[in-house]
Amino acid sequence: MLSLLSVTGCAGTAESLTVVRSSGAREHSIERSLATCMEQNGFRYVPDDGSPWQRVDPELKNDRLGRGDYAAMRSYRAKYGYGAFAIYVFPQKFGNPRVKPEHVPISPNGAIRAALSTTQRRAYQEAYDRCYGPAVKQATGKDVASEWDHHRQISALVDRLVAAEIDADLRLVRLAENMADCLRAKGYAVESTLPSALAGRGFARFNAEITEIGRTDDISDEPLKSFGTDEDGNHRVYQPNLTPLQAGPYLTREIGDALDDLKCGREFYPVYKTRYTDIQRRAHEEFGLAE
């Protein structure tokens, strides 16, 4: 079962995973500090040096997607839509954690954890959480409570930069309004014409369907109540266990929406995507991670 507990910035979609991840000097420092601290706590940790297990599937890391290239986006969307239901139809390619990845080996740290007993894994995680904040502080000067909080702060910074540099940009506002008019003419509901909201409209729509399926399936969501509620005040739920066959019809609808969205946003996306990709890069670098 998958938990809907990921942290994403504005318009965070699978389609945004377009840049090869590389490790900068500060990220190397974080990883080395983690390894040293974990060893002091009696556990082995292998520093991430940008090795293959950290890389996105070759088909999904196309730099042209990050620039809003029409041909690249059309090729992607004609097969994967916005990347919402694709995690079920193409579980290996999209890193569904229920299956072994198609193109990358298992992370050595994942293998280390898997070899531990339940009690040892709990102790390992507690040690990792204790080590993580000081490692980030030493490398970046940033105060983070955990790895989760580290990424939450990056996401919050992305949101602030998007609001200031994208949603307030008059050119992008005009392009978004034109795109929204086109979508409405095709019969789509558009709740907001803010550039970031419009860019995330399609993924949000189909991700909400996934959440609703998870809310109404026979998997108990009781264990997640301790995590509180989501941004809409709803209790968090586990994602449904959809097979590729079950998810296929949903993805077909998603693809139709995504291609219409792209047609309407042909002038919008090259400007928006280029700016958004740059913001993502800057935010990750500020917090010691390369993106």
Side-chain angles (χ1 to χ4, degrees), residues 79-134:
K79 188 173 182 180
Y80 307 120
Y82 297 106
F85 279 98
I87 193 173
Y88 298 105
V89 180
F90 305 97
Q92 291 176 307
K93 187 175 289 293
F94 278 80
N96 188 323
R98 292 195 302 270
V99 299
K100 183 177 179 180
E102 188 172 32
H103 291 281
V104 297
I106 298 297
S107 159
N109 291 313
I112 290 170
R113 288 178 190 245
L116 300 175
S117 69
T118 301
T119 301
Q120 289 173 322
R121 277 199 297 272
R122 186 178 299 112
Y124 182 101
Q125 186 61 48
E126 289 173 353
Y128 183 83
D129 290 340
R130 288 195 302 271
C131 292
Y132 195 88

Side-chain angles (χ1 to χ4, degrees), residues 42-170:
F43 294 103
R44 179 169 175 254
Y45 179 84
V46 180
D48 166 22
D49 58 359
S51 297
W53 56 82
Q54 293 291 346
R55 295 176 188 159
V56 179
D57 182 283
E59 189 180 2
L60 307 183
K61 66 184 182 185
N62 187 339
D63 287 345
R64 292 164 60 203
L65 286 172
R67 299 194 302 269
D69 179 85
Y70 181 81
M73 289 185 68
R74 193 183 190 292
S75 176
Y76 177 98
R77 291 191 174 194
K79 188 173 182 180
Y80 307 120
Y82 297 106
F85 279 98
I87 193 173
Y88 298 105
V89 180
F90 305 97
Q92 291 176 307
K93 187 175 289 293
F94 278 80
N96 188 323
R98 292 195 302 270
V99 299
K100 183 177 179 180
E102 188 172 32
H103 291 281
V104 297
I106 298 297
S107 159
N109 291 313
I112 290 170
R113 288 178 190 245
L116 300 175
S117 69
T118 301
T119 301
Q120 289 173 322
R121 277 199 297 272
R122 186 178 299 112
Y124 182 101
Q125 186 61 48
E126 289 173 353
Y128 183 83
D129 290 340
R130 288 195 302 271
C131 292
Y132 195 88
V136 173
K137 179 71 172 181
Q138 180 179 343
T140 70
K142 301 286 188 181
D143 291 308
V144 303
S146 62
E147 185 175 20
W148 170 268
D149 183 54
H150 192 191
H151 289 281
R152 183 196 61 78
Q153 290 192 43
I154 293 172
S155 177
L157 176 57
V158 169
D159 288 348
R160 292 195 298 272
L161 292 174
V162 166
E165 300 179 16
I166 289 181
D167 287 341
D169 183 275
L170 293 180

Side-chain angles (χ1 to χ4, degrees), residues 3 6 10 20 55 61 78 82 85 125-126 138 144 160 181 191 195 204-205 247 254 263 279:
S3 172
S6 61
C10 293
V20 180
R55 295 176 188 159
K61 66 184 182 185
Y82 297 106
F85 279 98
Q125 186 61 48
E126 289 173 353
Q138 180 179 343
V144 303
R160 292 195 298 272
D181 288 341
E191 296 181 1
R205 172 189 174 186
E254 183 182 334
K263 290 175 185 175
I279 285 173

